[in-house]
Amino acid sequence: MGMAEQNTSETFGFQTEAKQLLQLMIHSLYSNREIFLRELISNASDAIDKLRFRAIAKPELVGADADFQITVDLDVKANTMTITDNGIGMTREEVIEQLGTIAKSGTAEFLDQLSGDEKKDASLIGQFGVGFYSAFIVAEEIEVLTCAAGETQGTRWVSRGEDEFSVDEAGELSRGTRVMLHLRKDAEEFTDGFRLRTILRKYSDHIGVPVRMLKQTTGSAATDDTPEETDDVPEYEVVNSAKALWTRSRSEIDDSEYREFYKHVSHDFEDPLSWSHNRVEGKLEYTSLVYIPKRAPFDLWNRDAPKGLKLYVRRVFIMDDAEQFLPLYLRFIKGVVDSGDLPLNVSREILQQDDRVTSIRNALTKRVLGMLDTMARKQPDDYQSFWDEFGEVLKEGAGEDFSNREALAKLLRFASTSENSNKKTVGLDDYLERMIEAQDKIYFLTAESYENASNSPHLEVFKERGIEVLVLFDRIDEWLMGSLTEYGGKGFQDVMRGDLELPGEDDEKDTDEDKNKEEAESKTDEESSALTDRIKAVLENRVEGVRPSKRLTNSPACLALGDFAMGIQMRKIMEASGQSLPESKAHFEYNPNHPLLQKLDEESDEKRFEDLVLVLFDQATLAEGAPLADAAGYVNRLNSLLLELLSD
Ligand code: ADP
Ligand code: MG
């Protein structure tokens, strides 16, 4: 896309997505525009972290300029602010790549989600991470001068944030990056040194790099309460505490600092929901600071999305997105782990096999589950909002992490017939508490949607007897329930499967009354066995078996799956992925007390009997949300029955 103007200067159009994001950001974030400082300081600090890391193997990259720092200069007259770091810098190619495009995968999808409603968009943009471009909220022009570590020739990048940016050679420069903002008229407030100090402190107190400003010559508000950090250039002073947050002790850190640090590590714009900061000593030494975000990132379901913690070894930054410290189902957790034991030259491959890493991972997993459990008990509203965002991811864990199965099961939340809503608010402990007398199973139903499930004929008898049924309709649910076997000593029972046994059915046999009842029942069984055989003759090839139902009170018939048959949800997923599955047959259950069935029993016209049975079978199939094998046949039969009805 580049268009050469001279030998060295080139003008580039912004990538479409970058342009769109820029415009949106300027509008949506205007009321909170000071955050551009957080982003620029955060980038400068990342650049220094990256250089420190590279210098472990190549100390000459740092050379004599080993005093890592970030400097903020103001020129009130010119209305400019300049943020300088002596970090890793960028090459010409990197400048074009990093400051001209948005490299994140899923950017286009993200932009599609934006609504035009500024408030909503602002928080979405926050989730996406605003980064460098946020400086255009306050700057009408930005000039970046940068020189990569190990090189001497620098690059200049200039843009007004509209359509294009230009890049040219900047001659000899010292290592690092200098970002000069030509502030907009209405952003003059940021050239007020005292105000700027306050904002800087807020956004940089938690990073491990000193941030300097020129000593204020008038007034006295400029104080520096961290005497341990001094500077060798006399007229500058350090304005932040310059101590990495997680290295400080918990009692010294207030909540607002934890929140700011979260925004720095996560690139999130919103506050976190919760966090946990711990130093572990003994056989293994490490510090962890983990955060639970408020909202799921837009790329939570993207396999390639970065995930994991920021890894430090003895306070030296090693890598972003260290995935090995948490299981995949906790991929939404953000934060830092600082190990005292790992070698500085640790690689991703080493992390994968290292026993120390495995131990930290096990401990961190328990810690996060503990945080969630505490939240569920003490801040149920927070927990509910967590579940709404991340519940489906946590279900992956409940299905695969055997060592934490009980803790994970406790955290699950489902929709349920007791709540009469599609909100997933019911925990298994709630369920156990509400079980009726003699109930020893946790009943559940999986379906494609809540609406589909809530009208299922399978729920009729449960509604009548006041037995709660969990209603599951996430794609992952059938898989999940396949691996959950029991909770609190109670087994799980799919209400669509098998020959249903309801509470109280076995152990009432002794009383006389029940004996009579039983006799009565077996009589109806016998009576209906003739009907069963007639129906069986019609449905022979279509079903596994035919039986009178214990499930139904209102509907004439339903289908029940075999104990080990694949459910409809799973079947659809497998078929969608192109697998051909063997046909699975269900049991046809009919309601002998339903007037339709009673009439059917009296039907002597065999052809008519057959049509009616087939219609009932197709209707039961439809009620499961499954497609009909022969939809046209169904329509024909129904029409001829209707015609008979009308001509009677
Ligand atoms: P992010 O920090 O989330 O990657 P940004 O938009 O803030 O996104 O920055 C984009 C990229 O530009 C950074 O990833 C980095 O490669 C580069 N960059 C920005 N500022 C600097 C800097 N001061 N020094 C070196 N590289 C930088
Ligand atoms: Mg950034």
Side-chain angles (χ1 to χ4, degrees):
M1 243 209 260
M3 192 184 77
E5 280 177 350
Q6 305 161 4
N7 259 353
T8 65
S9 176
E10 271 186 281
T11 302
F12 296 84
F14 277 116
Q15 175 203 26
T16 324
E17 281 92 355
K19 214 161 90 186
Q20 244 174 307
L21 195 65
L22 245 153
Q23 288 310 315
L24 270 162
M25 206 172 48
I26 292 173
H27 288 113
S28 318
L29 299 183
Y30 189 82
S31 58
N32 193 11
R33 53 194 184 155
E34 66 180 41
I35 55 125
F36 79 93
L37 274 167
R38 174 178 79 216
E39 298 300 329
L40 296 183
I41 296 288
S42 187
N43 284 349
S45 142
D46 287 349
I48 288 169
D49 269 351
K50 283 179 201 160
L51 177 59
R52 275 186 181 141
F53 173 65
R54 288 262 294 280
I56 297 168
K58 260 182 125 181
E60 64 273 22
L61 286 178
V62 171
D65 184 10
D67 233 349
F68 293 112
Q69 57 198 7
I70 299 168
T71 307
V72 181
D73 289 298
L74 289 173
D75 184 335
V76 182
K77 257 208 202 125
N79 203 23
T80 62
M81 178 189 300
T82 307
I83 295 159
T84 309
D85 66 70
N86 54 356
I88 190 129
M90 287 174 271
T91 63
R92 183 186 175 96
E93 288 68 38
E94 283 166 345
V95 170
I96 295 167
E97 171 71 23
Q98 310 290 359
L99 303 186
T101 59
I102 296 173
K104 285 179 207 180
S105 53
T107 305
E109 290 89 322
F110 163 75
L111 286 166
D112 283 345
Q113 289 179 30
L114 297 178
S115 58
D117 173 339
E118 282 187 12
K119 246 201 177 145
K120 270 194 214 138
D121 288 352
S123 82
L124 272 173
I125 287 172
Q127 268 175 277
F128 185 78
V130 287
F132 174 79
Y133 293 131
S134 62
F136 282 111
I137 308 174
V138 296
E140 55 191 20
E141 184 174 272
I142 301 179
E143 180 179 353
V144 178
L145 286 171
T146 184
C147 180
E151 307 200 0
T152 53
Q153 298 297 308
T155 303
R156 174 187 285 108
W157 178 99
V158 183
S159 176
R160 299 180 68 84
E162 283 153 2
D163 290 314
E164 51 187 39
F165 61 91
S166 68
V167 175
D168 66 298
E169 286 170 10
E172 200 157 312
L173 287 180
S174 57
R175 182 197 71 223
T177 301
R178 167 182 296 251
V179 178
M180 183 188 264
L181 311 177
H182 295 269
L183 296 171
R184 293 174 195 274
K185 281 258 151 34
D186 62 5
E188 269 174 343
E189 55 172 314
F190 294 105
T191 58
D192 172 346
F194 293 119
R195 171 147 158 68
L196 186 61
R197 275 177 166 71
T198 315
I199 306 175
L200 277 178
R201 193 181 287 265
K202 174 171 163 198
Y203 290 135
S204 68
D205 249 0
H206 53 261
I207 60 170
V209 184
V211 175
R212 309 182 314 159
M213 280 181 70
L214 261 190
K215 260 206 174 104
Q216 202 87 357
T217 45
T218 56
S220 60
T223 56
D224 183 359
D225 49 23
T226 52
E228 76 248 61
E229 291 284 350
T230 51
D231 205 282
D232 44 7
V233 185
E235 59 271 50
Y236 278 93
E237 62 183 351
V238 176
V239 300
N240 65 340
S241 66
K243 210 166 167 212
L245 186 94
W246 70 92
T247 64
R248 293 160 56 193
S249 86
R250 273 197 303 222
S251 57
E252 291 176 4
I253 308 173
D254 60 38
D255 288 359
S256 63
E257 292 179 280
Y258 276 121
R259 292 197 189 100
E260 273 315 320
F261 185 70
Y262 166 73
K263 293 172 185 175
H264 168 71
V265 290
S266 68
H267 302 269
D268 193 350
F269 179 77
E270 277 193 280
D271 287 338
L273 197 56
S274 167
W275 60 84
S276 171
H277 179 195
N278 296 279
R279 192 186 319 275
V280 175
E281 272 153 16
K283 236 171 99 190
L284 270 182
E285 294 202 355
Y286 65 93
T287 302
S288 64
L289 171 51
V290 291
Y291 290 93
I292 300 173
K294 232 180 218 155
R295 228 182 277 262
F298 71 101
D299 53 5
L300 183 64
W301 298 100
N302 178 348
R303 278 173 166 277
D304 307 320
K307 47 193 161 283
L309 302 176
K310 242 177 156 53
L311 172 64
Y312 287 76
V313 169
R314 292 178 290 283
R315 300 180 191 190
V316 177
F317 168 78
I318 305 296
M319 65 178 82
D320 283 311
D321 315 323
E323 298 172 10
Q324 284 72 25
F325 291 91
L326 286 169
L328 192 61
Y329 70 85
L330 294 180
R331 59 183 172 274
F332 52 86
I333 298 291
K334 305 284 184 198
V336 166
V337 56
D338 188 344
S339 160
D341 308 302
L342 293 170
L344 281 170
N345 63 358
V346 69
S347 65
R348 287 189 194 270
E349 290 66 45
I350 295 177
L351 288 182
Q352 238 148 29
Q353 307 152 1
D354 196 292
D355 289 344
R356 291 165 292 194
V357 176
T358 310
S359 305
I360 297 177
R361 170 194 172 107
N362 291 340
L364 284 182
T365 304
K366 291 221 159 46
R367 183 169 303 287
V368 172
L369 297 181
M371 278 167 85
L372 290 172
D373 182 53
T374 309
M375 194 195 295
R377 285 183 288 110
K378 300 202 171 141
Q379 289 101 23
D381 292 346
D382 281 356
Y383 187 72
Q384 193 59 49
S385 87
F386 163 79
W387 185 260
D388 293 342
E389 289 291 315
F390 299 107
E392 279 191 72
V393 187
L394 217 63
K395 282 180 182 173
E396 294 174 9
E400 71 197 8
D401 183 352
F402 299 105
S403 55
N404 292 298
R405 176 172 278 183
E406 191 76 8
L408 278 156
K410 201 182 181 62
L411 293 169
L412 297 171
R413 294 292 179 273
F414 301 105
S416 154
T417 52
S418 73
E419 301 295 311
N420 242 325
S421 117
N422 63 358
K423 292 241 158 55
K424 299 161 189 163
T425 56
V426 175
L428 293 173
D429 288 326
D430 306 322
Y431 185 97
L432 293 184
E433 251 171 53
R434 290 196 284 254
M435 294 208 312
I436 67 164
E437 214 185 304
Q439 183 179 347
D440 65 350
K441 293 253 167 56
I442 299 172
Y443 293 102
F444 69 94
L445 173 109
T446 52
E448 285 192 82
S449 69
Y450 178 79
E451 290 64 34
N452 192 308
S454 56
N455 296 319
S456 166
H458 293 277
L459 291 178
E460 288 172 5
V461 68
F462 292 91
K463 284 183 187 154
E464 190 179 75
R465 294 199 48 187
I467 303 172
E468 182 169 5
V469 178
L470 301 173
V471 180
L472 281 57
F473 50 92
D474 283 341
R475 269 174 71 98
I476 191 176
D477 284 335
E478 211 170 287
W479 172 82
L480 170 69
M481 297 318 283
S483 56
L484 279 186
T485 47
E486 59 145 53
Y487 183 78
K490 310 284 178 189
F492 286 92
Q493 170 71 49
D494 182 343
V495 303
M496 289 171 66
R497 278 176 200 277
D499 203 359
L500 204 59
E501 221 171 70
L502 289 172
E505 276 182 348
D506 304 329
D507 30 275
E508 282 175 15
K509 282 181 186 164
D510 300 7
T511 63
D512 276 356
E513 209 187 320
D514 280 319
K515 262 197 188 131
N516 292 340
K517 211 164 139 198
E518 227 176 65
E519 264 163 37
E521 260 171 24
S522 62
K523 215 170 151 199
T524 53
D525 276 358
E526 231 165 70
E527 266 173 16
S528 51
S529 83
L531 180 58
T532 303
D533 291 342
R534 273 182 87 191
I535 297 175
K536 216 180 256 170
V538 177
L539 295 179
E540 206 171 19
N541 300 320
R542 293 179 169 84
V543 300
E544 185 66 39
V546 175
R547 63 189 174 219
S549 184
K550 293 177 198 155
R551 293 176 161 88
L552 302 172
T553 59
N554 298 323
S555 299
C558 72
L559 297 178
L561 292 172
D563 277 329
F564 304 105
M566 188 180 288
I568 297 162
Q569 210 184 29
M570 194 79 98
R571 192 161 255 283
K572 283 207 170 159
I573 293 172
M574 307 273 280
E575 279 167 357
S577 73
Q579 305 199 41
S580 70
L581 300 168
E583 198 188 347
S584 91
K585 292 178 186 170
H587 282 266
F588 180 78
E589 290 197 355
Y590 64 93
N591 178 357
N593 300 316
H594 195 282
L596 252 178
L597 272 293
Q598 285 168 347
K599 281 264 171 358
L600 191 67
D601 204 14
E602 293 156 14
E603 183 57 64
S604 53
D605 179 340
E606 280 309 317
K607 171 75 177 106
R608 214 175 129 123
F609 180 86
E610 189 182 319
D611 279 355
L612 279 166
V613 168
L614 288 174
V615 165
L616 286 178
F617 173 74
D618 282 347
Q619 283 179 344
T621 308
L622 288 173
E624 304 298 330
L628 295 183
D630 175 18
Y634 170 71
V635 172
N636 285 339
R637 275 188 290 275
L638 197 61
N639 284 348
S640 67
L641 287 170
L642 286 173
L643 202 61
E644 269 179 53
L645 183 82
L646 291 172
S647 47
D648 267 356

